Amino acid sequence: MRRGKEFLRTLGIICLSLIFAIVVISIVSEDPISSLKAFFLGPFTNLYFFGNMLTLSIPLMFTGLGFSAGFVSGYFNLGLEGQVYFSSLVATILGLQLGENNPYLFILILPVLSFVVGGSVSMISGMLKIKHGISEVISSFLIGIILIHLANSLIEGPLLDENSPISATPYLPKDLSFPNFEAFGNLHLGILFAFCSILIMDVVLRRSVLGYEMKLVGKNELFSRYGGVKVERILMISAFLSGGFAGMAGTVDILGIHHRMVRGFSYGYGWNGIAVALISRNRPLFIIPASIFFAFLEVGSQMASIFGDMTPELSKMIQAVVFYLVTAESIFRFFKGRRR
Amino acid sequence: MKGSIFMDHHILMKNVWKKFGEITALRDANLMVKRNTIHAIVGENSAGKSTLVRILAGIERMDKGEIWISGRKVKIRSARDSLKLGIGMVHQHLALIEDFTVAENLFAVGMDDPLNIVTKRRLRQNATKIMERFQMNLNPDSKVSSLSLGEKQKVEILRVLKDEPKIIILDEPTSLLNDMEAEDILRMLKSLKMEGKTVIFISHRLDEVMKVADEITVMRNGRTIGPFNKSRMSEEELFRLMFGEERTEFEVKYDESKTGEKILEIKNLRYDQKGRVLLEDVSFTLRRGEILGILGFSESGVDLFMEILFGLRIPSGGRIIFKGEDITFKDIMDRRELGIGFVPADRRRVGSCLDCSIWENVVVNVRKSPKISGCFFLNTNKIMEYTTKVLRICGIATMDPDLPAKSLSGGSLQRLIIAREILGDPDLLIFQEPSWGLDMLSLQLLKDEMLRMKNEGKSVIVSSKDYDEFVDVVDRFLIFHKGKISSEFLNDGRIDKARIVEAMVGKVEKMRG
Amino acid sequence: MGQILHMTFSMTTPILFAGIGGLFTGISGYLNIGLEGLMLLSAFFSAHIANVTGNILLGTFAGTLVSILFSLIMVLLIDRFGANLYIVGLATNLMADGLTVFTMQVLFNSKGTIMFSEIPKMRLIDPFPRGSILEIFNGYTIFDYLAILITLIVYFLLSKTRFGYNLRAIGKNREAMIMLGINVNKYIYVSFMMSGLFCGLAGASLSIPLRSFVENMTGGRGWIALVTVVVSNGNPLVLLLFSILFGFFTALSNFIQTMWKSSPLIFSIPYILTILILVAHSVGSRGSMKPNSKGDG
């Protein structure tokens, strides 16, 4: 019964955010009908657009999973953007240096590597929290910014492909890439990686002692200590998983779509991932529909700006509305009449 | 309706009822306080004393009843209402800002106009003035965190006095203090009366009450008896009213030959916090097959000791030896694996996770045992089986294990925690105030379990503030007072309750019964 | 050298304003990560309205009003509907990011940078007499002097008025203040509105003197301000010092970048500094700040 209520509340939030979109489009657009049509139906008009929407949802599944892996134990990872970006750069460098000889092996190694890189970065904030009492809310974000600057300076500097019109590294070896599902736009094998990660995390969270302890730490630290849970260790594991999944987001994107590191390619994956995690309420399986929903918002906004007169930033505003509402537990009770 | 009884009394509380969930704190309680007297309210813990005065101070609201002040029926809905009626209350738990100075706590924070300009000099002047008036010597510029408990208590009292209330309520003002400090406070109460104020104070120290009170109301199980005029009462009579029978014969006798080998040894345990010694010189041994009772009031160090014993706090000095192994600095998982279980007093935050599901609460201490999991993965079937078993033991077999623990009633939750710890099959089980929320039947079942453990050669430590609760099963009592073991009583079947209580309030030093 | 000094103070102003804004919620116990967004909102709307009306004061007023409005939304969601403080802060940042660019697109049909030519040029003022040693502090905009002045006023407000004492006390021991009959909620609402007010000024001081708005022009200043809040322990004067420090390093990194066209890594200097200062601060106040559920034995 409780689950049912939670589900309804989530649906309510999605509806409110879509209503917000309709209102904004109707007010601003000079031709609301075609803008609305592009926004809502655009992603479904052909397999190519549909495939692109699914493709966009892949990194969001990883970042969403990443944020929730931390969030279940109360670790609030705001450094996702930096972790995504930096890990994929490290993976790209390794792929460029060593990927030539064993491309098929490196298709597996690079995601794992970026997992370790992202996880390690995130563990720094975990350390700062445990050892120094520095809130990870601040430290993870700041470290993220530093890493983004660092990555950008490498892309603009030693790694820059001089022949490219945009800021990017040279292309990875030809075979070092995921196979594509041609009919569906850019959709690539990465989606299977995402599904697998989600399944693994789902099993870990629901069925393992580790997952049990992670949830316990997030819900009641005192009780966890009393139960003999090593709270610090669990926090570090959470931080590692959180950054780790985020780290995979960018690499999978590179292997699937870009085949090289493009400056700023992953912008927004982190924030979108937080939204995905929040709306899926930390249940990994729900991350799949939630990622597709936010990918839909992105693609829909793009459609509305291509075929209508909107701008892609529409999606950010809708996302913000979701953020405002998603943790406001009692908002719908309020609408029903102010009972406490 | 305006009988003389309403006019004669400064305060009149009539037929007051108050329930907290399923627990009735006040049943038809009455309080009649004459103008310009010192009125004591006495009674054992959880008799309803605090609740009664908190209603008067506007912190709690009564379910039923009437309040009359100076012959006028009044409604008290908030602390503000109460203040307007000239009632000031000194709380049992200090509401001071530790980082602020004495003067700042007295005059800088408060409900007055927020744009008031507060200068250090004016603060100091005001503070000095009021301290002179009530003859208290404190440095207005010292930080509250550097004060002793007695001094903090004085600040708290001064803060109430500065609003010039006509009625002053003090909830256990001396319970945290040493004798000298307590003397000071009592002297102050007398001087307040001299100034024409009406004083209500709560205490469990009868000697104090006999020293300063004019009239006394006794509380027991939420009911009031009295008021009595002090001159017509003796300490012994009062004691009987508070605690019932004076002596009882018990079936259980302590039999040292039945106990087994040493299981636990505490050596010179000490705990300091911010330079204050909260626990000192705690040493004793516990044998297998022994049930040890630990008694003491709130600040006696009992709770601290138990938390240290289980590993929730790290001691500043001393050793804890369990089954021959030094566990002083071992973490809780190791202690649990060695065979120690714990039922904490704070069952809603420490003993359980209210936002977690019932099964998550039930399996916490067996999550790594083969009962539940194969090392890494949890076995859902086994979990459900195990949880159902626990729920059946607790008498709530129909509960859905997936519901959050907060949907359990207080009593059920407590039974769940106790059952969980017992089923963990520890060699030493520590109970901190386990009777809270238990009905008579459950309490009896708990005692049976304790005796079963004893017979199986396991050991139990149980703390309680109500000394006669476990007197029929406990082999030996340790009494804590001000962070030390003040005395030890072997349960020879004829324990003198009066002496236990005296030891708890610190009247007796080191003695064996 | 003089150039760096000048840049330092101009860079300090928005950080200082936002820091003061964060200080109000910070000392009452709420870490406001929405500073960045509030600032960005005001940066856009104050510049836009100043451009429309040709009046800097009106522009600042409008931007600040928007910022206060959003801070009220935040506190309303937190207090009345039990929303998560951090998530609501993120929401504000995202909304600001989206709303400003969206509005730019709708109104000016362009993204990136907008020059507002109708905004009057800000006069640089010389409050100190020529020839005196204070002369080096001449030649800044009214915002820069206002920031310092407001810091002093806030210092007075927090340490010398009952309001300040109560607000600080709420942050330290909320329950005690409730017991004393203080309307804690009212104070929290006021502290969030103050956050809005000063972030509003921060935003205005960023865009109006430049007479332009750039997409995401706050560029992390809100987060740096948040760090100054954390390390200042509630003291506006300490916050001022840290703001100047960060202002200096921001100025320095900009200076190096424009002089030598070096790598963008230079931009991360202020952020590396924030981490170092956070660590130093926590080591310095070890024991009192460290979350410690095991007791202090």
Side-chain angles (χ1 to χ4, degrees):
Chain A
M1 197 191 89
R2 211 166 68 90
R3 295 239 168 107
K5 248 189 207 160
E6 220 170 55
F7 184 68
L8 278 181
R9 207 153 61 77
T10 308
L11 269 187
I13 289 166
I14 289 174
C15 288
L16 279 182
S17 63
L18 291 178
I19 290 171
F20 172 80
I22 294 172
V23 170
V24 170
I25 293 175
S26 313
I27 292 174
V28 175
S29 178
E30 278 167 16
D31 181 6
I33 302 295
S34 65
S35 292
L36 281 171
K37 222 167 115 188
F39 179 81
F40 280 102
L41 302 177
F44 304 99
T45 42
N46 61 42
L47 273 184
Y48 181 79
F49 290 148
F50 184 69
N52 274 355
M53 184 178 82
L54 291 184
T55 313
L56 185 60
S57 73
I58 299 171
L60 305 191
M61 290 182 200
F62 282 111
T63 48
L65 199 55
F67 187 77
S68 28
F71 198 55
V72 285
S73 356
Y75 176 80
F76 216 94
N77 186 358
L78 293 192
L80 296 164
E81 288 277 334
Q83 288 149 13
V84 173
Y85 199 53
F86 184 71
S87 318
S88 39
L89 181 74
V90 174
T92 308
I93 294 174
L94 199 82
L96 285 173
Q97 299 293 328
L98 304 172
E100 194 74 59
N101 299 327
N102 281 317
Y104 298 111
L105 181 65
F106 271 80
I107 285 182
L108 290 175
I109 289 184
L110 292 188
V112 174
L113 174 81
S114 45
F115 192 98
V116 174
V117 172
S120 310
V121 167
S122 167
M123 274 167 88
I124 300 174
S125 305
M127 276 296 262
L128 291 175
K129 180 188 172 104
I130 292 166
K131 293 263 184 257
H132 295 289
I134 297 171
S135 170
E136 78 278 17
V137 175
I138 299 180
S139 74
S140 61
F141 180 83
L142 293 172
I143 291 174
I145 291 195
I146 295 171
L147 291 178
I148 290 173
H149 281 305
L150 177 63
N152 278 340
S153 70
L154 290 175
I155 297 172
E156 300 277 325
L159 296 174
L160 186 69
D161 179 5
E162 304 287 347
N163 304 322
S164 167
I166 54 173
S167 299
T169 64
Y171 282 98
L172 288 170
K174 197 158 176 291
D175 290 328
L176 185 45
S177 65
F178 287 143
N180 264 28
F181 306 110
E182 306 252 321
F184 294 90
N186 286 322
L187 189 63
H188 54 81
L189 188 72
I191 199 162
L192 289 183
F193 273 71
F195 284 167
C196 286
S197 307
I198 285 172
L199 273 179
I200 292 172
M201 213 38 213
D202 184 61
V203 171
V204 167
L205 279 184
R206 284 194 309 121
R207 290 287 165 86
S208 76
V209 177
L210 174 67
Y212 170 80
E213 291 185 351
M214 283 168 67
K215 282 190 280 184
L216 221 53
V217 170
K219 281 178 180 161
N220 185 339
E221 202 186 307
L222 270 175
F223 177 67
S224 317
R225 268 185 215 288
Y226 156 81
V229 177
K230 293 179 172 116
V231 173
E232 284 80 15
R233 186 196 287 177
I234 293 294
L235 269 178
M236 288 306 272
I237 292 176
S238 273
F240 182 73
L241 292 177
S242 180
F245 285 120
M248 282 173 81
T251 304
V252 166
D253 231 28
I254 285 178
L255 291 177
I257 310 172
H258 307 289
H259 310 297
R260 60 176 174 165
M261 180 87 180
V262 181
R263 184 183 167 138
F265 80 101
S266 64
Y267 180 69
Y269 286 0
W271 304 124
N272 260 312
I274 297 177
V276 166
L278 289 173
I279 208 151
S280 66
R281 303 201 186 275
N282 294 326
R283 274 197 289 279
L285 289 184
F286 289 169
I287 284 178
I288 295 173
S291 309
I292 295 175
F293 172 67
F294 281 99
F296 158 73
L297 289 185
E298 290 283 348
V299 176
S301 305
Q302 279 167 20
M303 293 289 153
S305 51
I306 296 170
F307 300 110
D309 52 358
M310 288 292 105
T311 75
E313 273 67 28
L314 179 63
S315 67
K316 263 187 201 155
M317 289 158 63
I318 305 172
Q319 210 178 315
V321 172
V322 174
F323 269 95
Y324 273 128
L325 300 179
V326 71
T327 59
E329 297 287 340
S330 49
I331 197 119
F332 289 103
R333 232 179 302 156
F334 184 78
F335 285 128
K336 267 196 240 162
R338 298 160 61 154
R339 270 179 297 139
R340 280 192 66 127
Chain B
M1 186 73 198
K2 255 190 190 173
S4 63
I5 184 173
F6 295 95
M7 300 304 290
D8 284 357
H9 291 89
H10 197 179
I11 305 162
L12 190 74
M13 293 176 80
K14 251 185 84 193
N15 313 106
V16 177
W17 288 77
K18 175 75 188 174
K19 270 188 180 182
F20 292 106
E22 62 209 281
I23 293 155
T24 308
L26 294 176
R27 342 169 163 252
D28 208 23
N30 295 292
L31 183 67
M32 289 182 258
V33 181
K34 292 207 183 85
R35 192 178 297 278
N36 196 16
T37 56
I38 299 182
H39 193 107
I41 303 178
V42 297
E44 51 184 333
N45 277 287
S46 69
K49 298 168 295 188
S50 289
T51 312
L52 190 65
V53 292
R54 282 162 74 88
I55 288 173
L56 197 55
I59 297 160
E60 309 277 3
R61 294 179 68 172
M62 58 190 172
D63 300 336
K64 250 195 285 184
E66 293 177 4
I67 301 175
W68 297 67
I69 306 283
S70 304
R72 215 157 46 83
K73 191 173 171 187
V74 295
K75 282 213 167 85
I76 299 179
R77 286 198 196 82
S78 66
R80 220 175 263 261
D81 286 355
S82 174
L83 201 65
K84 273 193 206 134
L85 289 163
I87 301 170
M89 173 157 170
V90 180
H91 296 276
Q92 184 174 12
H93 298 288
L94 304 164
L96 298 173
I97 311 295
E98 297 267 324
D99 284 355
F100 286 0
T101 66
V102 171
E104 285 170 343
N105 265 288
L106 286 175
F107 290 100
V109 295
M111 289 192 288
D112 307 344
D113 179 12
L115 290 177
N116 258 355
I117 290 171
V118 181
T119 62
K120 284 253 149 64
R121 219 187 51 201
R122 202 179 312 158
L123 280 180
R124 198 176 303 133
Q125 276 173 359
N126 284 339
T128 318
K129 211 189 296 166
I130 193 161
M131 280 191 240
E132 266 165 19
R133 197 177 140 208
F134 293 101
Q135 291 152 29
M136 283 197 225
N137 271 323
L138 291 170
N139 178 1
D141 293 329
S142 45
K143 278 213 169 131
V144 164
S145 55
S146 69
L147 301 182
S148 73
L149 272 175
E151 290 168 323
K152 284 183 191 171
Q153 186 65 269
K154 284 185 185 170
V155 178
E156 188 79 63
I157 293 173
L158 277 176
R159 180 155 70 183
V160 170
L161 291 179
K162 76 165 202 287
D163 293 329
E164 298 291 341
K166 295 187 194 72
I167 300 164
I168 296 150
I169 306 168
L170 302 99
D171 190 357
E172 308 238 10
T174 57
S175 64
L176 312 177
L177 311 182
N178 64 33
D179 294 344
M180 285 255 296
E181 292 169 331
E183 274 306 312
D184 256 15
I185 301 288
L186 296 183
R187 216 171 304 132
M188 223 181 78
L189 297 189
K190 279 185 176 160
S191 69
L192 287 176
K193 183 189 159 192
M194 301 280 276
E195 286 205 10
K197 307 211 186 273
T198 304
V199 179
I200 299 176
F201 91 109
I202 294 180
S203 178
H204 52 242
R205 290 170 72 161
L206 291 185
D207 51 335
E208 287 179 2
V209 171
M210 295 310 281
K211 232 181 266 173
V212 296
D214 300 310
E215 292 206 304
I216 301 163
T217 295
V218 179
M219 291 200 73
R220 218 179 151 182
N221 289 331
R223 291 199 173 81
T224 46
I225 319 168
F228 304 100
N229 194 305
K230 182 192 60 180
S231 53
R232 277 179 243 139
M233 287 290 270
S234 70
E235 204 168 323
E236 286 68 36
E237 279 175 283
L238 209 51
F239 195 88
R240 247 200 314 281
L241 283 171
M242 276 170 73
F243 300 111
E245 280 297 301
E246 213 175 329
R247 277 164 201 272
T248 338
E249 302 278 329
F250 311 113
E251 298 157 31
V252 197
K253 285 191 181 179
Y254 180 56
D255 185 352
E256 196 152 4
S257 64
K258 275 191 191 163
T259 61
E261 61 187 6
K262 234 190 265 176
I263 188 166
L264 178 73
E265 204 177 345
I266 309 289
K267 290 180 185 166
N268 288 319
L269 214 56
R270 207 176 54 117
Y271 186 79
D272 308 332
Q273 196 172 46
K274 289 178 189 155
R276 281 181 45 224
V277 180
L278 297 180
L279 208 61
E280 204 179 7
D281 277 344
V282 174
S283 307
F284 66 88
T285 40
L286 180 71
R287 299 182 169 279
R288 284 183 178 277
E290 221 184 333
I291 301 178
L292 176 74
I294 299 189
L295 302 174
F297 287 114
S298 334
E299 301 292 322
S300 61
V302 173
D303 294 330
L304 212 53
F305 167 70
M306 297 197 127
E307 285 164 26
I308 291 172
L309 183 56
F310 188 64
L312 285 164
R313 289 170 189 273
I314 298 168
S316 317
R319 286 274 168 275
I320 305 170
I321 316 288
F322 180 70
K323 290 186 185 167
E325 211 175 311
D326 186 339
I327 59 161
T328 319
F329 299 109
K330 284 227 149 79
D331 65 40
I332 291 175
M333 198 63 221
D334 295 334
R335 287 177 206 235
R336 280 193 178 276
E337 273 166 5
L338 273 171
I340 303 181
F342 183 45
V343 174
D346 189 346
R347 62 218 167 109
R348 300 174 71 82
R349 289 194 312 140
V350 182
S352 69
C353 168
L354 293 179
D355 292 326
C356 303
S357 67
I358 291 175
W359 72 261
E360 285 173 315
N361 275 282
V362 166
V363 302
V364 69
N365 57 341
V366 291
R367 66 183 184 277
K368 283 185 180 161
S369 85
K371 279 181 195 167
I372 290 307
S373 66
C375 195
F376 186 77
F377 287 108
L378 297 165
N379 183 324
T380 317
N381 292 336
K382 282 185 183 171
I383 286 175
M384 285 308 137
E385 225 169 84
Y386 185 80
T387 308
T388 318
K389 182 174 150 198
V390 174
L391 288 179
R392 212 168 36 233
I393 291 172
C394 300
I396 40 173
T398 52
M399 279 307 256
D400 177 357
D402 279 327
L403 282 178
K406 63 183 162 210
S407 49
L408 291 173
S409 70
S412 305
L413 186 66
Q414 180 72 347
R415 288 201 296 273
L416 188 87
I417 294 168
I418 292 172
R420 174 186 73 207
E421 294 301 312
I422 290 176
L423 283 174
D425 200 24
D427 291 322
L428 168 63
L429 188 43
I430 308 163
F431 291 97
Q432 194 178 18
E433 305 281 334
S435 63
W436 217 97
L438 294 187
D439 52 39
M440 291 309 284
L441 183 66
S442 310
L443 191 60
Q444 194 49 52
L445 287 173
L446 173 61
K447 286 178 183 173
D448 292 346
E449 277 301 313
M450 287 180 179
L451 291 172
R452 182 190 58 78
M453 287 183 71
K454 171 187 161 123
N455 291 333
E456 287 174 6
K458 291 164 182 165
S459 315
V460 172
I461 297 182
V462 54
S463 81
S464 171
K465 278 164 194 125
D466 296 331
Y467 46 88
D468 54 358
E469 211 161 45
F470 292 97
V471 77
D472 45 350
V473 292
V474 164
D475 295 314
R476 188 158 57 113
F477 281 110
L478 291 179
I479 288 114
F480 276 60
H481 181 67
K482 295 199 175 121
K484 291 182 183 171
I485 297 181
S486 69
S487 33
E488 181 183 350
F489 293 88
L490 292 181
N491 195 348
D492 56 2
R494 293 181 289 108
I495 281 194
D496 188 338
K497 280 189 188 174
R499 278 169 56 208
I500 291 190
V501 175
E502 279 168 358
M504 280 167 83
V505 300
K507 264 182 91 175
V508 193
E509 288 297 312
K510 272 291 178 204
M511 56 180 286
R512 287 177 79 97
Chain C
M1 198 58 218
Q3 198 185 346
I4 291 188
L5 185 78
H6 196 274
M7 276 169 82
T8 296
F9 282 104
S10 317
M11 290 291 168
T12 300
T13 301
I15 297 177
L16 181 58
F17 270 130
I20 295 287
L23 193 68
F24 273 94
T25 55
I27 58 171
S28 58
Y30 293 80
L31 191 64
N32 183 359
I33 63 176
L35 298 181
E36 176 94 3
L38 296 176
M39 213 168 149
L40 187 62
L41 282 167
S42 165
F44 177 75
F45 285 101
S46 54
H48 175 50
I49 299 297
N51 188 51
V52 170
T53 59
N55 185 325
I56 291 176
L57 196 64
L58 273 179
T60 307
F61 184 73
T64 305
L65 214 60
V66 173
S67 170
I68 293 178
L69 181 77
F70 272 86
S71 69
L72 268 177
I73 294 177
M74 288 171 74
V75 69
L76 198 74
L77 284 165
I78 293 166
D79 173 59
R80 283 218 66 98
F81 303 118
N84 180 306
L85 170 68
Y86 298 147
I87 300 295
V88 168
L90 284 185
T92 305
N93 291 346
L94 261 178
M95 184 54 104
D97 196 0
L99 188 62
T100 50
V101 180
F102 185 82
T103 317
M104 266 161 95
Q105 181 76 19
V106 170
L107 293 180
F108 308 104
N109 204 16
S110 87
K111 273 192 201 176
T113 307
I114 294 177
M115 306 303 296
F116 290 107
S117 49
E118 298 303 312
I119 299 180
K121 275 213 175 84
M122 289 213 74
R123 271 221 335 266
L124 302 180
I125 32 186
D126 302 330
F128 303 109
R130 287 197 157 275
S132 77
I133 190 121
L134 291 169
E135 198 191 348
I136 51 167
F137 296 114
N138 279 344
Y140 294 95
T141 67
I142 184 90
F143 282 118
D144 301 320
Y145 298 110
L146 191 66
I148 306 284
L149 188 69
I150 278 179
T151 307
L152 298 177
I153 293 174
V154 167
Y155 174 74
F156 178 80
L157 184 72
L158 290 181
S159 62
K160 299 277 184 257
T161 68
R162 184 161 317 245
F163 170 81
Y165 272 103
N166 283 347
L167 197 62
R168 282 188 286 150
I170 288 169
K172 290 173 199 292
N173 191 345
R174 195 186 168 105
E175 271 65 44
M177 295 310 278
I178 294 174
M179 269 206 253
L180 286 185
I182 305 283
N183 189 343
V184 170
N185 269 351
K186 205 152 84 187
Y187 276 83
I188 302 297
Y189 274 81
V190 170
S191 77
F192 267 88
M193 283 169 70
M194 289 291 189
S195 238
L197 170 66
F198 293 116
C199 287
L201 290 175
S205 73
L206 204 57
S207 59
I208 289 182
L210 290 177
R211 302 166 71 215
S212 65
F213 178 84
V214 187
E215 187 179 335
N216 190 23
M217 84 182 298
T218 44
R221 283 183 181 81
W223 292 87
I224 292 181
L226 200 60
V227 173
T228 65
V229 172
V230 172
V231 296
S232 67
N233 288 338
N235 186 337
L237 300 183
V238 179
L239 190 131
L240 171 64
L241 289 180
F242 277 107
S243 303
I244 293 174
L245 186 69
F246 286 124
F248 171 71
F249 276 95
T250 314
L252 192 69
S253 64
N254 286 2
F255 184 75
I256 294 173
Q257 182 65 18
T258 44
M259 286 304 280
W260 291 291
K261 234 0 193 159
S262 64
S263 101
L265 191 58
I266 296 296
F267 286 128
S268 62
I269 290 179
Y271 298 100
I272 296 173
L273 190 74
T274 55
I275 298 283
L276 294 179
I277 285 179
L278 277 174
V279 173
H281 173 261
S282 91
V283 171
S285 60
R286 176 170 282 255
S288 60
M289 281 285 287
K290 202 178 160 204
N292 197 342
S293 31
K294 275 187 174 172
D296 4 17

